[in-house]
Amino acid sequence: MDIDVRNCGAEPVPPEGETQVVGNSTSKPVTLADVARLADVSVPTASRVLNGGVRGKGGNRELRERVEDAARVLGYSVSAAAQATKEGRARTIGLLVSDVEDFGAATIIAGILDAAEDRGLSVAVRATHDDAEREVELLTQFRGERHRAIILATSRTTNLERELAVKTQLEVLQRHGANIVLIGDSDHDYSRVTVNNHDAAAALADELAAAGNRRFAILAGPEEQITSRDRVAGFLAGLARHGIEVPEELIFHHGFDRDGGHLAVDILGDRLRDLDVIAAMSDGMAVGAIAALRRRGLETPRDIEVTGFDHVPMLGDVLPEFSTVGVPLHEFGESALKMAVDEPTPEIAKRRVAHKTSLIVRGVMIGVAA
Amino acid sequence: MDIDVRNCGAEPVPPEGETQVVGNSTSKPVTLADVARLADVSVPTASRVLNGGVRGKGGNRELRERVEDAARVLGYSVSAAAQATKEGRARTIGLLVSDVEDFGAATIIAGILDAAEDRGLSVAVRATHDDAEREVELLTQFRGERHRAIILATSRTTNLERELAVKTQLEVLQRHGANIVLIGDSDHDYSRVTVNNHDAAAALADELAAAGNRRFAILAGPEEQITSRDRVAGFLAGLARHGIEVPEELIFHHGFDRDGGHLAVDILGDRLRDLDVIAAMSDGMAVGAIAALRRRGLETPRDIEVTGFDHVPMLGDVLPEFSTVGVPLHEFGESALKMAVDEPTPEIAKRRVAHKTSLIVRGVMIGVAA
DNA sequence: GCAGTTCCGGACATCGATATCCATAATACG
DNA sequence: CGTATTATGGATATCGATGTCCGGAACTGC
C-alpha cells in the first residue's frame, strides 16, 4: 500500500538533506522549487520539463525523468494562483445564475460543468437571486478574479437602467480580456445561446387551440423579463391565429416560480370556472398553479388544463398529462461554455447559437420546433 | 451619466501622461502600480492605504484620499490571483457534488453559496457523477487551486478501497491547510454536517405501520452508499417495532435517482399487488416508482402507497398525499460553509453539526425529529 | 527648545511560476 | 578534424500584491 500511495503522488517525501518538522500536521504545499531541488536542476528547467518544453531525446532523457519522478514523489501540483498571476488571467470561468435551486439553472450549470471539466477549467458560481444591485456587485467581484470568460444565465430585462449598469460592468470585463456569453434572450450585443421562445410558445398555443380550448389565462412572470415577454407574445400570436384573444386582466405578472403560480390562481378565484387553460410560462409557475387549484378542489387536466414551459423531466413522471415546451438547458450550458473558451469555429463565430425546442402535449412529444 | 459611471469605478481613465491605445478594445486590467503612479505614492503605500493600514489622521488624510480616488477613477480591483500567490491560499472554496441537477445537491449548493457570499468567498463547483476515480481526480485538481476549504457533498460509501483513495487526497489537502467538511454520513474523521437518517427513517416506518400497512418493499439505493444503508437500517428497525419484516428480495439496490425507482417497480411486476407500501429512500426514486406504477395502471396512494425521503418541496405541490422525510438541505450547505471557514465557535469546535429532520405524512408535517 | 517616541511611507524582498536571454555543450556536416 | 548549427539549461527578469526594515518627519512631554 505504501508503494501505491507514493505512486499516486499523494504522500510528500521530505527533500533529501532536510529534516522534516515534527509530524506533517501542516506542511506547506510543494512548490516547483522543491521539485527542482530534488531533481537537482534549476527552477526554470523544471518548469520547462513539466510543460513539455524539453523534448527529452538522447542524453537529457534522463534529466526529464529525474524531474518527472521528483514531481511525482513530492506530489507536486502547479499553483493555479501563481500561473494566473503570471499569465494575467486564470483558468476559470465566472458564472452568474439567478438561483441555483431553480431546476432550469441547475441543469444549465450541469451542462457548463461537464464542458468545463473536459477543458480543465474551474467554474466559480454566484447567485444573484434576481437582485439587480447584487448582480452588478457580483460582476465587479469577478473583475478581480480574472476569469477567462463570464457566463450570465440570469434573466435579462427591459429595464434600461438596470441593463446599462450590467453592460457597463461587462464592458470592463470584456476589455480586460474575458469572453462574455449570455444564456437566454436579451437586447445585449454579446455572444448568446438561445431558443426561439416566441415561436415555441406560439406552437404550444396553436396545439391547445386546435384541441378546442378557447378561454385562456396566462401566467406571464415578471413584466420586465425578456424571456417572459417573448413567450407571452408568442403564445398570444399562436392564439390569434385561431381568433382567440386573452384579455389584459387574465395575464398575470408575478414571480417566475411556484409562488407566482399560487398567487395568480388565488387572484383568479371564481373566474377559474370560466377558463379552459391556465398557460404558465414556466414549469415552476405551472406547479404552483396546480397546487393552488387543488386546494380549491379543482383537478388538472380534468377540470382545467395547466401548461408549462421548460420541461422539467421529473414533472413528466408525476403529471403524466402535462403539456410544456422542452428547452435543452443542458445543451445551453455546454454551448455557452464552448462559445466562451473554444477557438471560434464557423458556428461559434456567429456568436449566436440557437437551440431547438420540443413540444410536449399531454406528456407526448409532438416534435421539434425551430 | 458620465459622472455616475466614473463614480462606480467602472470606466478606467488612462493614467496621465500616457497616450491610450486606439480604442480600449483590450486594455490590461488596472494594477496597484497604476494606482500608485496616479496617486504619486509608492506601491506598498497604496497597498497599505487600501487595506486600512494608514489611519489617515492629520496631514496624511490627504494622501489617503489621493490613493482612494486614484483607485476609484481607474476602476481598480485587487487581483485575487496575486493575493493568493502571496498568501499561499486563495479566498475560495472547493465543492464536490455528485450531480448538480439532483435537487438535493442544488439546494445544498444554494446554501453554501449564500453563506459564501456573506464572507466574500468564491466557490468552485465540480461534479463527480458518482464516479470514484473522477472524485479522486477532481480532488487532486483542487490541490493546485489552494482552496481555503473543501466541502464534499458526494455520497460516501462502505467501499474501503474507494474511501481510502479519497481519504489519501483529503489528507494532503488538509496538510496543506485546507479545512475539510463532509456533508452527510460517513466513516471518515472529518468535520461533518448530518441528520440522523436512521431515526428519521424509523419514525417514518413507525407512522406507516401504525396506519395499518403491513407489506413493504424498500427501494434502497446503491448498496455501498452509507446514507442508503442508514436509512434502510432505520426503516427496518421502525417496522420491527411493529413486528414487521421485509424479505431480502423486496429490498432493491439500484440508483438513488428516478431510474432506480422505475427499475425496481418493473422488477417487482406482479408482486406489486401484494404490497401496501413502496418505501423509497429518496424522493427521486419515489417519483420514478410512481411513474412506473402509473404505466401499469396503478395509482398512488389509491392502489399502493409510495413514500420518499429528502422532501423536494415541488413534489408536495404535485403529489399532495406524499409521505417523506424533510431534510434541511439548505441549512446543510450553510452549516458546512460556516464550519469550513468561521472561527471555531463552541458548536463548530465539536466538528459535527447535526440538523433535525421533519416527518411529512401524506403531505402534513407531523413534527420535528432529532 | 530638546530628547524621546510614534508613525509614516519608501526601498527591498518575497510568494510561485514562466518568458527571455545567453553561454555552453552537443551535434551535424563538409 | 574544424566549423556551423542546434539544442539545452542556468541566470535573470517579470507578473501583481504584500510583509519587513528602516530612515526621517512629526509629535509629545518636560
Side-chain angles (χ1 to χ4, degrees), chain A residues 31-32 47-48 76 79 83 86:
Chain A
T31 73
L32 192 52
S47 172
R48 271 187 293 254
Y76 170 73
S79 155
Q83 277 186 325
K86 188 83 215 314

Side-chain angles (χ1 to χ4, degrees), chain A residues 210-326:
Chain A
N213 297 293
R214 284 292 170 273
R215 300 167 304 171
F216 292 80
I218 295 181
L219 310 195
E223 194 148 19
E224 288 189 338
Q225 203 167 308
I226 290 192
T227 301
S228 163
R229 185 194 65 183
D230 289 357
R231 290 180 181 178
V232 171
F235 199 86
L236 292 174
L239 292 182
R241 285 182 218 148
H242 297 260
I244 301 173
E245 289 189 5
V246 179
E248 192 69 38
E249 70 269 19
L250 289 183
I251 302 180
F252 295 88
H253 295 280
H254 302 302
F256 224 59
D257 51 5
R258 290 185 298 140
D259 288 342
H262 277 117
L263 199 52
V265 166
D266 287 345
I267 294 173
L268 272 166
D270 289 339
R271 286 177 291 170
L272 284 167
R273 57 186 77 245
D274 300 326
L275 293 174
D276 298 319
V277 177
I278 295 179
M281 295 300 127
S282 79
D283 280 3
M285 287 191 291
V287 166
I290 288 168
L293 287 171
R294 185 177 282 127
R295 279 205 306 269
R296 296 172 166 271
L298 296 170
E299 281 297 319
T300 171
R302 192 192 63 196
D303 304 313
I304 186 169
E305 181 152 5
V306 177
T307 67
F309 211 116
D310 287 340
H311 189 42
V312 177
M314 181 187 265
L315 281 184
D317 273 3
V318 288
L319 298 171
E321 302 202 67
F322 186 63
S323 298
T324 189
V325 174

Side-chain angles (χ1 to χ4, degrees), chain B residues 212-231:
Chain B
N213 297 293
R214 284 292 170 272
R215 301 166 303 171
F216 292 80
I218 294 181
L219 310 195
E223 194 148 18
E224 289 188 337
Q225 202 167 308
I226 290 193
T227 302
S228 163
R229 182 196 65 183
D230 289 357
R231 291 180 181 177

Side-chain angles (χ1 to χ4, degrees), chain B residues 167-203:
Chain B
K167 184 188 164 95
T168 306
Q169 295 302 325
L170 290 178
E171 301 261 291
V172 179
L173 287 162
Q174 194 173 41
R175 258 204 309 275
H176 292 355
N179 294 329
I180 312 288
V181 177
L182 305 191
I183 293 180
D185 286 308
S186 75
D187 296 335
H188 291 278
D189 186 32
Y190 297 103
S191 298
R192 260 184 295 169
V193 181
T194 58
V195 291
N196 189 331
N197 276 306
H198 182 282
D199 290 4

Side-chain angles (χ1 to χ4, degrees), chain A residues 81-290:
Chain A
Q83 277 186 325
T85 305
K86 188 83 215 314
E87 289 177 30
R89 44 158 63 185
R91 297 185 60 78
T92 55
I93 307 295
L95 170 62
L96 230 51
V97 300
S98 294
D99 184 359
V100 193
E101 289 184 73
D102 173 71
F103 177 84
T107 311
I108 289 173
I109 297 174
I112 291 175
L113 290 187
D114 286 347
E117 198 199 320
D118 295 340
R119 294 162 179 76
L121 295 167
S122 179
V123 180
V125 186
R126 281 183 165 80
T128 64
H129 298 284
D130 244 322
D131 176 326
E133 284 180 38
R134 197 188 306 217
E135 183 163 35
V136 170
E137 161 67 19
L138 294 178
L139 283 174
T140 64
Q141 289 184 23
F142 276 164
R143 228 185 308 157
E145 296 172 12
R146 307 287 191 267
H147 295 294
R148 195 154 294 242
I150 308 287
I151 300 177
L152 262 73
T154 52
S155 49
R156 306 272 40 97
T157 69
T158 53
N159 181 328
L160 288 184
E161 195 183 345
R162 171 172 175 173
E163 294 307 314
L164 180 60
V166 168
K167 184 189 163 96
T168 306
Q169 295 302 325
L170 290 178
E171 301 261 291
V172 180
L173 287 162
Q174 193 173 42
R175 257 204 309 278
H176 292 357
N179 294 329
I180 312 289
V181 178
L182 305 190
I183 293 181
D185 286 308
S186 75
D187 296 334
H188 289 279
D189 186 34
Y190 297 104
S191 298
R192 260 184 294 169
V193 181
T194 58
V195 291
N196 189 330
N197 276 307
H198 182 282
D199 290 4
L204 176 60
D206 203 32
E207 283 291 335
L208 292 167
N213 297 293
R214 284 292 170 273
R215 300 167 304 171
F216 292 80
I218 295 181
L219 310 195
E223 194 148 19
E224 288 189 338
Q225 203 167 308
I226 290 192
T227 301
S228 163
R229 185 194 65 183
D230 289 357
R231 290 180 181 178
V232 171
F235 199 86
L236 292 174
L239 292 182
R241 285 182 218 148
H242 297 260
I244 301 173
E245 289 189 5
V246 179
E248 192 69 38
E249 70 269 19
L250 289 183
I251 302 180
F252 295 88
H253 295 280
H254 302 302
F256 224 59
D257 51 5
R258 290 185 298 140
D259 288 342
H262 277 117
L263 199 52
V265 166
D266 287 345
I267 294 173
L268 272 166
D270 289 339
R271 286 177 291 170
L272 284 167
R273 57 186 77 245
D274 300 326
L275 293 174
D276 298 319
V277 177
I278 295 179
M281 295 300 127
S282 79
D283 280 3
M285 287 191 291
V287 166
I290 288 168

Side-chain angles (χ1 to χ4, degrees), chain B residues 104-333:
Chain B
T107 310
I108 290 173
I109 297 175
I112 292 175
L113 291 187
D114 287 347
E117 199 199 319
D118 295 341
R119 294 161 178 77
L121 295 167
S122 180
V123 180
V125 186
R126 280 183 165 80
T128 64
H129 298 284
D130 245 323
D131 177 327
E133 285 180 36
R134 197 188 305 217
E135 183 162 36
V136 170
E137 161 67 19
L138 294 178
L139 284 175
T140 63
Q141 289 185 22
F142 277 163
R143 232 189 302 161
E145 296 172 13
R146 308 288 191 267
H147 296 293
R148 195 154 293 244
I150 308 287
I151 301 177
L152 262 71
T154 51
S155 50
R156 307 271 40 96
T157 68
T158 54
N159 180 328
L160 287 184
E161 196 183 343
R162 172 172 175 172
E163 295 307 315
L164 180 59
V166 168
K167 184 188 164 95
T168 306
Q169 295 302 325
L170 290 178
E171 301 261 291
V172 179
L173 287 162
Q174 194 173 41
R175 258 204 309 275
H176 292 355
N179 294 329
I180 312 288
V181 177
L182 305 191
I183 293 180
D185 286 308
S186 75
D187 296 335
H188 291 278
D189 186 32
Y190 297 103
S191 298
R192 260 184 295 169
V193 181
T194 58
V195 291
N196 189 331
N197 276 306
H198 182 282
D199 290 4
L204 176 61
D206 204 31
E207 284 290 335
L208 292 167
N213 297 293
R214 284 292 170 272
R215 301 166 303 171
F216 292 80
I218 294 181
L219 310 195
E223 194 148 18
E224 289 188 337
Q225 202 167 308
I226 290 193
T227 302
S228 163
R229 182 196 65 183
D230 289 357
R231 291 180 181 177
V232 171
F235 199 86
L236 291 174
L239 291 182
R241 285 182 219 148
H242 297 260
I244 301 173
E245 289 191 5
V246 179
E248 192 70 38
E249 68 271 19
L250 290 182
I251 301 179
F252 295 87
H253 295 281
H254 302 302
F256 225 60
D257 51 5
R258 289 185 299 140
D259 288 341
H262 278 117
L263 199 52
V265 167
D266 287 345
I267 294 174
L268 273 167
D270 290 339
R271 286 177 290 169
L272 285 166
R273 59 187 76 245
D274 300 327
L275 292 175
D276 298 319
V277 176
I278 296 180
M281 297 299 127
S282 80
D283 280 3
M285 287 192 290
V287 166
I290 288 168
L293 287 170
R294 186 176 283 128
R295 278 204 307 269
R296 297 174 166 268
L298 297 170
E299 282 298 317
T300 170
R302 195 193 59 197
D303 304 311
I304 186 170
E305 180 150 6
V306 177
T307 67
F309 211 116
D310 285 342
H311 188 41
V312 177
M314 183 188 265
L315 280 184
D317 274 3
V318 288
L319 298 172
E321 302 202 68
F322 186 63
S323 298
T324 188
V325 174
V327 179
L329 297 170
H330 198 279
E331 287 80 356
F332 267 30

